[in-house]
Amino acid sequence: MKGIRQLADHLDISIGTVSRALNGKPDVNEETRRRVFEAAEKFGYVANQAGRSLRKGATGIIGFMMQTGHDITGQGDTFFMSVFDGVQTVLARHKLDLVALLCSSEEDPDAYLKRVVARSFADGIILSATRYRDGRFGTLHKTGIPFISLGRSQNDAGQPWYDLDFEGMADTAIERLVAQGHRRIAIGRPEGDINLGYVFEDRCRAALAQHGLTLDPAHVFRSRPNESGGYRLAQNFIAAPTKPTAMVLLNEATVIGFYRGLEEAGLMPGRDVAVIGQYSPMAQFLSPRLTCFRPALRDLGVAVAESLLATMPAFAEAYPEAPRQCLWPMNFIEGESG
Amino acid sequence: MKGIRQLADHLDISIGTVSRALNGKPDVNEETRRRVFEAAEKFGYVANQAGRSLRKGATGIIGFMMQTGHDITGQGDTFFMSVFDGVQTVLARHKLDLVALLCSSEEDPDAYLKRVVARSFADGIILSATRYRDGRFGTLHKTGIPFISLGRSQNDAGQPWYDLDFEGMADTAIERLVAQGHRRIAIGRPEGDINLGYVFEDRCRAALAQHGLTLDPAHVFRSRPNESGGYRLAQNFIAAPTKPTAMVLLNEATVIGFYRGLEEAGLMPGRDVAVIGQYSPMAQFLSPRLTCFRPALRDLGVAVAESLLATMPAFAEAYPEAPRQCLWPMNFIEGESG
DNA sequence: TCGCAGTCCGTAAACGTTTACGAGATTAGT
DNA sequence: ACTAATCTCGTAAACGTTTACGGACTGCGA
């Protein structure tokens, strides 16, 4: 069964009628429609997406671009699963499907974007793993595909983005630690050119300055955004010159290894070292319980999807007032660690 | 910039030449080629995938179908990231791209497959989250798209699949526990119609029978494949009638919650209850360290991709002897928990 | 009998590429 | 100077759909 042509020949009707029958158009005899569906089922015929989307000028697909690679596990955790869940509930309302565009960490994201995503592969695109300077914004802008980014870039020219409110997290975390009497506060950020690292560090420094404190450059620790990275980070932390008494961690996964690293050195989070991090499903199973910030990720997915659809002519009217840019709140959860 | 037509008009050459220039065909003047690339870059032109793949009869895309949803986090962890990594290294050799087909857990996987994947959306497909009876095998077989499954189905009609060797895991885990003197051994399997749950339970029962032991139906615990599921599982475990002294867990994430549940009840893994599980990046950060089975996931991805390509005429000659079906070994890692 | 509306279906164009084929121009060989 | 080879490019068909348009019926009322 090659295509609609063969199906039509077999039924001895025209391809136009077959197409109309399959697509639920009104002007087709119900008996004919039944026969068409029956034959389609029998031969396992499904419409060729290429032909269809070529003609319709739309694919019904939204792409979510994300990074893969053996060193990228932290963000690959449940974070995206939750966001996907929210995105999909919105897309389902419009019969749109979500696919994840998997860009290897060894490849240039911009080149990848140009290659696979190409015009009309997806009707809209959600970006993630935003870099400090990210060429993808320019590329997408040129091609005219509707898009939105999960995470800001540095060169913000009014493109749509949603991002977790790491500024708010930095402010309250620092505020809290200072109120607890801490003076030498360290922070951990993911290594690499990820934009949120810069955002977070800058804001922590500013927040400390509010209290007349400084952020010692030696107390800014970079690590891989996963458990092992956190473990090594703990070792560096312990070996730091003027010993910090508190740590604020950006990544969800690093905190696991960090806990373990402290334990092995006989240090207990919350007693010997204050630790504040980002929520993950793991957080509630740590002992002592992690003081952390938790964004409502599923709702974030919903909001992002709605904001994206708002920029697409075909769906815009359903979302008249979706904000183009938004800092997504992180809810504070008091634990025992800091 | 709508398409190759406009680009050609602007350059005052034919679309054929533009296409040839862009695709690196030899019979085009190098000066012309340069002008074409320049203009394409300037206008942000990228070829329309629909038109291209319609003509070529191939998309250059391999789809990896996976399940999403707020209750599916265990498998969504680093498991897939590692497999992706392996798959991508193979695909990159042939300039193929990997996309993840995200099927919401609220939707019928077979319907999803028919709808979005449709013929010629992807040149090949990798299935996951295989059900006990899985209609997708039949669908894919009918349409003729090359595919392979990560996980067996019950109705094995010779379709290609790779699966983790849970039989081997069951055998050695039971063997070990029995040798340690355990007689009342419990197992944990994911709830739902996931096939590996059946496989695992059956094999554990058989392995116990080898030693004249039985698997008490009350000692087969079903749980969500995530941390919370493991926590509740611990509570059920503790409340079980004839108290088991050992537990073999299938899912990577449940073990986290299970540990926590035991701890809260004053029980220590390895001392009060023997625990054997599956490796995850988290496992090495548990205390006491988890005795577990670790598959080489990246290599599994490589093998699966090669096996898939072996079934595709265009790439088959490169992989003459890739096995169609394979039980992937799980390496035993001795810890302190059992 | 005619006209009109309604139902059902066939025809053909269009979507944006790639590529086989052949034509024209230039160069090389004799 | 003639032929053959080489280089470069234009032409047009093909890929599999969807859909605007119109034609062929049927039924019905005037």
Side-chain angles (χ1 to χ4, degrees), chain A residues 197-260:
Chain A
Y198 298 95
V199 171
F200 185 65
E201 179 176 341
D202 290 350
R203 190 59 166 251
C204 284
R205 183 175 291 109
L208 284 168
Q210 291 277 348
H211 298 88
L213 299 173
T214 58
L215 180 58
D216 186 341
H219 290 170
V220 176
F221 297 91
R222 288 175 175 247
S223 75
R224 304 236 130 148
N226 56 25
E227 294 88 353
S228 306
Y231 183 71
R232 257 166 307 209
L233 196 154
Q235 298 172 328
N236 295 337
F237 177 86
I238 291 164
T242 57
K243 218 171 191 49
T245 62
M247 170 60 102
V248 187
L249 286 170
L250 193 46
N251 183 268
E252 316 97 286
T254 41
V255 72
I256 312 291
F258 191 71
Y259 258 57
R260 175 72 177 190

Side-chain angles (χ1 to χ4, degrees), chain A residues 55-69:
Chain A
R55 163 68 211 222
K56 301 190 71 159
T59 62
I61 289 173
I62 300 296
F64 192 113
M65 185 167 167
M66 55 188 292
Q67 214 174 130
T68 63

Side-chain angles (χ1 to χ4, degrees), chain A residues 115, chain B residues 59-61 90-97 315:
Chain A
R115 182 159 44 86
Chain B
T59 62
I61 289 174
V90 175
L91 297 189
R93 297 205 281 261
H94 306 280
K95 297 193 185 309
L96 291 168
D97 279 303
F315 310 102

Side-chain angles (χ1 to χ4, degrees), chain B residues 71-309:
Chain B
D71 55 340
I72 316 282
T73 56
Q75 278 282 87
D77 274 46
T78 55
F79 180 90
F80 285 119
M81 285 292 159
S82 302
V83 175
F84 286 163
D85 193 24
V87 171
Q88 282 184 309
T89 62
V90 175
L91 297 189
R93 297 205 281 261
H94 306 280
K95 297 193 185 309
L96 291 168
D97 279 303
L98 183 66
V99 309
L101 279 2
L102 274 13
C103 174
S104 163
S105 54
E106 284 154 30
E107 191 173 0
D108 173 35
D110 195 27
Y112 175 87
L113 187 64
K114 282 181 182 160
R115 182 160 44 85
V116 70
V117 142
R119 269 224 342 286
S120 98
F121 173 92
D123 297 343
I125 296 196
I126 303 174
L127 258 31
S128 72
T130 320
R131 307 286 180 94
Y132 184 71
R133 284 235 152 70
D134 206 314
R136 294 177 294 172
F137 288 91
T139 303
L140 246 21
H141 184 72
K142 269 190 196 168
T143 61
I145 311 180
F147 73 98
I148 190 171
S149 169
L150 208 53
R152 285 159 285 176
S153 176
Q154 197 56 19
N155 46 339
D156 183 348
Q159 315 97 340
W161 54 255
Y162 273 57
D163 202 354
L164 298 184
D165 184 14
F166 290 110
E167 280 98 332
M169 169 175 168
D171 287 347
T172 41
I174 297 295
E175 180 79 33
R176 178 180 172 89
L177 290 172
V178 170
Q180 288 175 350
H182 293 279
R183 289 298 172 267
R184 291 192 307 282
I185 300 174
I187 70 168
R189 55 175 282 193
E191 60 182 32
D193 195 32
I194 301 299
N195 190 56
L196 69 90
Y198 297 95
V199 171
F200 185 64
E201 180 176 338
D202 290 349
R203 190 57 166 253
C204 283
R205 183 175 292 112
L208 284 168
Q210 292 276 350
H211 298 88
L213 299 173
T214 58
L215 180 57
D216 187 339
H219 290 171
V220 176
F221 297 91
R222 289 176 174 246
S223 74
R224 303 236 130 147
N226 56 25
E227 294 88 352
S228 306
Y231 184 71
R232 255 168 308 212
L233 196 154
Q235 297 171 328
N236 295 338
F237 177 86
I238 293 166
T242 56
K243 220 173 190 49
T245 61
M247 170 61 102
V248 187
L249 286 170
L250 193 45
N251 183 269
E252 316 96 286
T254 42
V255 73
I256 312 292
F258 191 71
Y259 257 57
R260 175 71 176 188
L262 290 186
E263 272 175 31
E264 284 190 5
L267 298 173
M268 184 173 164
R271 189 191 61 190
D272 306 311
V273 178
V275 180
I276 296 185
Q278 189 184 156
Y279 172 88
S280 77
M282 278 292 318
Q284 53 187 312
F285 298 103
L286 285 174
S287 170
R289 272 201 318 284
L290 182 69
T291 296
C292 58
F293 290 82
R294 174 177 196 174
L297 292 178
R298 194 179 174 287
D299 293 339
L300 172 60
V302 169
V304 165
E306 291 184 343
S307 181
L308 174 64
L309 293 187

Side-chain angles (χ1 to χ4, degrees), chain A residues 48 50, chain B residues 49-61 96 120-123 312 314-315:
Chain A
N48 179 313
Chain B
Q49 276 293 345
R52 164 186 294 227
S53 61
L54 179 56
R55 164 67 213 220
K56 299 190 71 160
T59 62
I61 289 174
L96 291 168
S120 98
F121 173 92
D123 297 343
M312 300 171 63
F315 310 102

